[in-house]
Amino acid sequence: MPLPQRINEILSSPAIGTHIQVTGWLRSCRNSKEISFLDLNDGSGLTGLQVVADKTLPNYESEIQNLSTACAITVHGLLQESPAKGQAVELLATTIEIVGWSNPALYPLQKKRHSLEFLRTLPHLRGRTNSLSAMMRIRNCLSFAVHRFFQHHAFQQLHTPIITTSDCEGAGEMFTVTSLDLDNLPKTAEGQVSFAEDFFSQHASLTVSGQLEAEAYALAVGPVYTFGPTFRAENSHTSRHLAEFWMVEPEIPFCDLTLDMEIAEEMMQFLVAAVIEECPDDIDFFSRFVDKKLAMRLEVMARPFHHITYSDAINQLQQTTTKFNYPINWGVDLQSEHEKFLTDEIFKGPVIVTDYPKNIKPFYMRCNDDGKTVAAMDILAPSIGEIIGGSQREERLTPLEQRMAECHVSRQEYDWYLDLRRFGSVPHAGFGLGFERMVLLMTGLGNIRDVIPFPRTPGGVAR
Ligand code: 4AD
Ligand code: MG
């Protein structure tokens, strides 16, 4: 493919003495009457290529001296050792074509470091900064590694629907999808909106999870995984929640909770190792400028994960002298302060919490013999809290019907799901990895809005 060479490749194995072509955007320019030094970056790495342009170039006075940050250029030149400090090699330009000008008086990004809060106001431009481009490279590496991991273990990727009628998690946090005229809504005799007249002839929403559909295919073709966007209308203004986020959801037939946890742990360790191996410069950047403890935290991820049951975790949390904002007693859901206490204070590493009370978990989880808990597992990551939620599914028809009744899940709407228990049901399990939380873990960034290019959160879709 005739694409220009990327700057990270040129810098990692510089062919000194050869003529090359590079393209990119200027991070900065130092101009004088006779010579200009241009810092060219193409987003392939943190370090730019220094381009040296002198007055022998025909457009030196007319164009090159007017270049400024953000201008896009194509350079042909001779790659040579740099006589000056600061870089090993530089490109002595033989031609510079200005592909796109920029107005320095209006361009909002300067060479100095901007705060992440300020950059959030410029989602369309912030990818040009080191923090966001490093995040992007790590995100890309993680995404590809997810596919590598599952494909290597013969899972098939399943494209589950984005528009759905089922509320998998049962939390009622779904965005409605409609083509009805909002200024003139058709009503039923009872005065409610008549979705029978809507596009799908019924109420439809954006999916909160691809799990239920993944179960159908896992029971047809073997292990599958979905990796897609999911949507939650939960009004959580935290640094861990997005209204639109990406989830990795494997679903495995002939699988119990123990094997499910093993797969999840192996997957996380594979992902961590892939980023350490493939993005060392970016990890180093985040370790230096964002989170000094990042390298140590990633090391801990390579060790075996700790296990604790929900009931034991509650006991341990009750025994500490630490005061929590949310009271802790058997039956309550763990809050992020509790999760972080378990990972950061008690275990000092990732923890898998199992066997949660059935009342705080969705209808599809398998009931344990005690009648009170379900075969659930959440993986809690240091400084993040819950990063994976998973379970063994209730594969027995009658207990599932009972749970659906208890949770007020419509038998009629989920009859297709019950079919999976009627025709060749098998024990099966799966989990969901919050992809952005994984990017948080790998970068040490503290806010989930900074690990997705265009964040969607309550109260604001910036672009
Ligand atoms: O625990 P959750 O709700 O589990 C499910 O959706 C299951 N159906 C998964 C499965 O078994 N196939 O969500 C899974 C993970 C959470 O652990 C968290 O990492 C992430 O998704 N997550 C969010 N990430 C960002 N913003 C939000 N609002 C999130 N809600 C959940
Ligand atoms: Mg969960």
Side-chain angles (χ1 to χ4, degrees), residues 168-169 208-211 232 234 240-243 245-251 361 364 378-379 386-391 393 430-437 448:
C168 174
E169 295 307 296
V208 295
S209 160
Q211 177 196 321
R232 297 197 185 178
E234 54 186 324
R240 302 280 177 265
H241 288 88
L242 290 165
F245 64 98
W246 288 68
M247 212 194 321
V248 179
E249 293 182 277
E251 191 68 34
K361 290 291 183 188
Y364 55 72
D378 276 6
I379 301 190
E386 181 189 341
I387 192 163
I388 281 181
S391 63
R393 321 306 187 190
F431 61 84
L433 166 73
F435 189 64
E436 283 72 25
R437 294 193 185 173
I448 202 161

XYZ file of all heavy atoms in Angstrom, residues 168-169 208-211 232 234 240-243 245-251 361 364 378-379 386-391 393 430-437 448, ligand 1:
348
model
N -31.915 -6.213 29.388
C -31.141 -7.326 29.935
C -30.853 -7.164 31.421
O -31.047 -8.076 32.211
C -29.840 -7.415 29.149
S -28.664 -8.598 29.769
N -30.399 -5.989 31.823
C -29.986 -5.802 33.215
C -31.171 -5.473 34.122
O -31.024 -5.376 35.336
C -28.922 -4.715 33.319
C -27.606 -5.085 32.627
C -27.061 -6.436 33.083
O -26.724 -6.564 34.262
O -27.006 -7.369 32.246
N -28.605 -2.243 26.433
C -27.702 -2.042 27.579
C -26.654 -3.152 27.641
O -25.697 -3.069 28.408
C -28.449 -1.987 28.938
C -29.368 -0.785 29.010
C -29.213 -3.278 29.211
N -26.852 -4.217 26.848
C -25.949 -5.371 26.874
C -26.334 -6.321 25.747
O -27.517 -6.486 25.451
C -26.079 -6.093 28.219
O -25.592 -7.413 28.127
N -25.336 -6.963 25.148
C -25.624 -7.937 24.088
C -25.750 -9.354 24.621
O -25.830 -10.309 23.855
N -25.776 -9.481 25.948
C -25.679 -10.815 26.555
C -26.774 -11.797 26.139
O -26.492 -12.943 25.802
C -25.687 -10.676 28.079
C -25.675 -12.017 28.794
C -26.080 -11.886 30.247
O -25.699 -10.917 30.891
N -26.847 -12.833 30.742
N -26.612 3.403 28.440
C -27.352 3.384 29.703
C -27.766 4.796 30.097
O -26.929 5.692 30.213
C -26.521 2.741 30.814
C -26.252 1.289 30.466
C -25.815 0.441 31.602
N -25.495 -0.886 31.054
C -25.031 -1.896 31.736
N -24.833 -1.763 33.032
N -24.773 -3.050 31.157
N -28.463 5.964 32.841
C -28.391 6.123 34.299
C -27.798 7.495 34.574
O -26.829 7.907 33.945
C -27.577 5.003 34.968
C -26.193 4.798 34.419
C -25.478 3.583 35.010
O -25.658 3.295 36.193
O -24.725 2.938 34.263
N -16.613 7.291 36.462
C -16.578 5.893 36.005
C -17.746 5.532 35.092
O -17.838 4.392 34.649
C -16.626 4.938 37.216
C -15.524 5.116 38.219
C -14.241 4.447 37.767
N -13.174 4.698 38.708
C -12.292 5.687 38.589
N -12.355 6.526 37.578
N -11.335 5.860 39.484
N -18.672 6.469 34.861
C -19.872 6.138 34.095
C -20.008 6.973 32.827
O -19.822 8.184 32.857
C -21.133 6.357 34.948
C -21.293 5.339 36.024
N -20.724 5.492 37.265
C -21.936 4.146 36.034
C -21.019 4.426 38.003
N -21.750 3.599 37.282
N -20.378 6.306 31.754
C -20.716 6.966 30.506
C -22.128 6.539 30.118
O -22.580 5.464 30.520
C -19.765 6.536 29.395
C -18.315 7.039 29.473
C -17.437 6.244 28.532
C -18.265 8.532 29.135
N -22.798 7.370 29.318
C -24.107 6.967 28.817
C -23.945 6.049 27.604
O -24.811 5.251 27.289
C -24.924 8.197 28.437
N -21.003 3.461 26.228
C -19.682 2.856 26.458
C -19.593 1.530 25.702
O -20.590 1.024 25.207
C -19.427 2.651 27.962
C -20.359 1.672 28.626
C -19.981 0.349 28.849
C -21.623 2.060 29.034
C -20.838 -0.563 29.461
C -22.499 1.159 29.646
C -22.097 -0.151 29.861
N -18.387 1.016 25.596
C -18.162 -0.216 24.833
C -17.974 -1.381 25.801
O -17.354 -1.219 26.848
C -16.949 -0.053 23.916
C -17.275 0.862 22.770
C -17.519 2.199 22.852
C -17.444 0.496 21.400
N -17.833 2.700 21.597
C -17.782 1.664 20.689
C -17.334 -0.712 20.695
C -18.017 1.668 19.320
C -17.571 -0.701 19.316
C -17.912 0.469 18.647
N -18.547 -2.503 25.442
C -18.452 -3.657 26.332
C -18.004 -4.892 25.545
O -18.424 -5.085 24.414
C -19.797 -3.912 27.013
C -19.597 -4.495 28.395
S -21.022 -5.233 29.206
C -22.395 -4.240 28.837
N -17.147 -5.679 26.182
C -16.696 -6.956 25.625
C -17.450 -8.032 26.385
O -17.322 -8.130 27.601
C -15.184 -7.142 25.863
C -14.718 -8.485 25.307
C -14.386 -5.988 25.278
N -18.250 -8.821 25.685
C -19.078 -9.826 26.367
C -18.913 -11.212 25.747
O -19.550 -11.518 24.754
C -20.547 -9.417 26.324
C -20.862 -8.179 27.134
C -22.345 -7.845 27.090
O -22.783 -7.213 26.116
O -23.065 -8.233 28.009
N -18.074 -12.051 26.359
C -18.017 -13.440 25.907
C -19.144 -14.248 26.543
O -19.622 -13.903 27.628
C -16.657 -13.922 26.426
C -16.375 -13.059 27.597
C -17.074 -11.759 27.401
N -19.561 -15.285 25.865
C -20.582 -16.193 26.402
C -20.161 -17.610 26.040
O -19.854 -17.883 24.875
C -21.946 -15.838 25.798
C -23.113 -16.520 26.472
C -23.343 -16.028 27.914
O -23.111 -14.851 28.211
O -23.757 -16.882 28.736
N -29.121 -8.495 41.939
C -28.582 -8.905 40.644
C -29.717 -9.234 39.674
O -30.845 -9.513 40.092
C -27.664 -10.132 40.821
C -26.337 -9.797 41.538
C -25.435 -8.928 40.667
C -24.099 -8.623 41.300
N -23.304 -7.652 40.560
N -31.316 -13.222 35.275
C -30.760 -14.345 34.510
C -29.655 -15.109 35.256
O -29.144 -16.103 34.771
C -30.217 -13.842 33.166
C -29.196 -12.731 33.287
C -27.913 -12.976 33.768
C -29.526 -11.415 32.932
C -26.987 -11.958 33.891
C -28.601 -10.385 33.056
C -27.335 -10.663 33.531
O -26.426 -9.657 33.664
N -18.012 -10.370 40.215
C -17.567 -9.053 39.748
C -16.063 -9.002 39.936
O -15.565 -9.415 40.988
C -18.185 -7.923 40.593
C -19.578 -7.539 40.108
O -20.108 -8.213 39.202
O -20.136 -6.559 40.647
N -15.351 -8.525 38.940
C -13.913 -8.319 39.128
C -13.680 -6.842 39.447
O -14.152 -5.950 38.725
C -13.099 -8.756 37.896
C -13.351 -10.239 37.626
C -11.602 -8.490 38.127
C -12.444 -10.878 36.598
N -15.334 -1.897 40.121
C -15.856 -2.924 39.206
C -15.413 -2.668 37.772
O -15.648 -1.601 37.218
C -17.393 -2.945 39.265
C -17.956 -4.014 38.348
C -19.479 -3.942 38.199
O -20.136 -3.322 39.054
O -19.980 -4.502 37.210
N -14.784 -3.672 37.187
C -14.354 -3.549 35.790
C -15.017 -4.634 34.942
O -15.253 -4.467 33.759
C -12.805 -3.585 35.709
C -12.292 -3.172 34.336
C -12.232 -4.949 36.105
C -10.821 -2.796 34.320
N -15.368 -5.756 35.607
C -16.064 -6.855 34.932
C -17.244 -7.276 35.796
O -17.126 -7.351 37.027
C -15.118 -8.065 34.728
C -14.189 -7.822 33.534
C -15.903 -9.370 34.541
C -13.239 -8.977 33.236
N -18.366 -7.536 35.137
C -19.512 -8.135 35.817
C -19.895 -9.383 35.048
O -20.045 -9.327 33.828
N -20.019 -10.510 35.743
C -20.363 -11.730 35.018
C -21.112 -12.703 35.888
O -21.346 -12.445 37.076
N -21.488 -13.825 35.307
C -22.223 -14.830 36.085
C -22.355 -16.123 35.305
O -22.173 -16.152 34.088
C -23.638 -14.334 36.417
O -24.388 -14.144 35.236
N -25.272 -18.494 34.104
C -26.677 -18.180 33.814
C -27.593 -19.276 34.361
O -27.185 -20.443 34.430
C -26.897 -18.029 32.307
C -25.795 -17.322 31.530
C -25.424 -15.955 32.084
N -24.481 -15.259 31.199
C -23.857 -14.154 31.508
N -24.004 -13.611 32.708
N -23.054 -13.565 30.650
N -20.825 -16.246 31.313
C -20.181 -15.188 30.527
C -19.922 -13.991 31.418
O -20.179 -14.011 32.625
N -19.401 -12.956 30.812
C -19.152 -11.732 31.579
C -19.072 -10.541 30.644
O -19.031 -10.705 29.417
C -17.867 -11.858 32.419
C -16.603 -12.082 31.620
C -15.892 -11.021 31.061
C -16.107 -13.374 31.428
C -14.723 -11.239 30.340
C -14.933 -13.594 30.704
C -14.241 -12.526 30.159
N -19.096 -9.359 31.241
C -18.962 -8.129 30.460
C -17.812 -7.302 31.007
O -17.762 -6.995 32.202
N -16.858 -6.975 30.136
C -15.751 -6.090 30.515
C -16.080 -4.690 30.030
O -16.331 -4.488 28.833
C -14.446 -6.554 29.857
C -13.281 -5.542 29.884
C -12.697 -5.414 31.288
C -12.186 -5.923 28.887
N -16.113 -3.743 30.950
C -16.297 -2.341 30.554
C -15.010 -1.863 29.899
O -13.992 -1.710 30.563
N -15.091 -1.644 28.575
C -13.862 -1.389 27.822
C -13.185 -0.088 28.262
O -11.963 -0.027 28.401
C -14.182 -1.351 26.318
C -12.953 -1.298 25.455
C -12.046 -2.346 25.451
C -12.701 -0.205 24.645
C -10.908 -2.302 24.655
C -11.560 -0.150 23.846
C -10.661 -1.202 23.854
N -13.961 0.948 28.519
C -13.352 2.223 28.947
C -12.693 2.080 30.314
O -11.683 2.718 30.588
C -14.384 3.348 28.978
C -14.722 3.903 27.591
C -15.540 2.950 26.766
O -16.240 2.104 27.360
O -15.479 3.043 25.516
N -13.279 1.260 31.184
C -12.644 1.070 32.501
C -11.308 0.354 32.332
O -10.363 0.595 33.078
C -13.588 0.322 33.440
C -14.821 1.183 33.740
C -15.649 0.671 34.878
N -16.853 1.492 35.012
C -17.848 1.224 35.828
N -17.786 0.164 36.625
N -18.903 2.011 35.881
N -13.290 8.856 33.119
C -13.697 8.039 31.968
C -13.966 8.892 30.720
O -13.906 8.394 29.599
C -14.914 7.160 32.358
C -15.039 5.946 31.440
C -16.187 7.972 32.435
C -15.880 4.818 31.995
O -22.126 -5.359 35.342
P -22.794 -5.031 34.033
O -24.026 -4.221 34.097
O -23.033 -6.443 33.340
C -23.723 -6.669 32.201
O -24.172 -5.838 31.461
C -23.790 -8.127 31.834
N -24.898 -8.315 30.876
C -22.477 -8.593 31.296
C -22.444 -10.031 30.926
O -22.482 -10.888 31.805
N -22.412 -10.333 29.636
O -21.747 -4.285 33.086
C -20.511 -4.894 32.762
C -19.376 -3.900 32.893
C -19.206 -3.318 34.284
O -18.452 -4.186 35.092
C -18.468 -2.023 33.999
O -17.082 -2.258 33.806
C -19.060 -1.612 32.670
O -19.634 -2.748 32.080
N -20.087 -0.572 32.815
C -19.926 0.716 32.486
N -18.871 1.384 31.984
C -19.011 2.702 31.750
N -20.146 3.392 31.979
C -21.231 2.773 32.493
N -22.366 3.461 32.693
C -21.144 1.370 32.779
N -22.015 0.449 33.266
C -21.346 -0.718 33.287
